[in-house]
Amino acid sequence: MLIGLSIVAILAACTQAPSDEKTAPAPATTAPVPAVALVPEGSAEDNKPFFDQVNAATAQNEDAGGRDFVDALVASGFDKAAMEVTKDATTLGDRAESIQFSVRWGDSCLIGQFGPAVGGYHSTIQPALGTDRCLIGETRPIDW
């Protein structure tokens, strides 16, 4: 029994008494969010995140039309001469249920679509058409 009490006393002496000091928690580390920007020498894939960022911001206005998307993309550095956009209105003069807009990027096309018929904003990258265009069908002139 004496040996058992001796071991307990030795172990008790080896433990550290509680301190009144509170240990501050380690600061939380968060990885910085990578900046999204136009990559002029990059591919369509490199530029899709920025294309989407610009268009998602424009799409916050549920009444945004083709010109709004084109103007926002131009203001963000995309080449207006490489863009196409569909009409905002039907042949009967009604608001189009969705519009499409694109930026030709090399042999690829960044294509956006927006409107209530498609549930907001969506995008894709597709190869350029054999006509060197991005959108099928009639588009409107970007003459502003």
Side-chain angles (χ1 to χ4, degrees), residues 2-17:
L2 187 58
I3 294 176
L5 288 175
S6 297
I7 292 174
V8 170
I10 292 171
L11 290 176
C14 292
T15 62
Q16 186 174 11

Side-chain angles (χ1 to χ4, degrees), residues 60-83:
Q60 293 298 310
N61 172 6
E62 59 187 46
D63 293 325
R67 184 172 184 157
D68 298 309
F69 286 96
V70 169
D71 288 351
L73 289 165
V74 170
S76 298
F78 287 93
D79 181 8
K80 186 187 243 184
M83 294 183 194

Side-chain angles (χ1 to χ4, degrees), residues 16-61:
Q16 186 174 11
S19 169
D20 288 339
E21 274 184 47
K22 292 188 177 184
T23 306
T29 57
T30 57
V33 176
V36 179
L38 187 67
V39 184
E41 301 304 317
S43 65
E45 290 82 10
D46 295 333
N47 285 288
K48 187 175 182 296
F50 188 57
F51 179 79
D52 287 339
Q53 177 179 298
V54 171
N55 293 325
T58 305
Q60 293 298 310
N61 172 6

Side-chain angles (χ1 to χ4, degrees), residues 107-122:
D107 292 337
S108 299
C109 297
L110 293 159
I111 301 173
Q113 186 172 17
F114 174 73
V118 295
Y121 170 73
H122 302 278

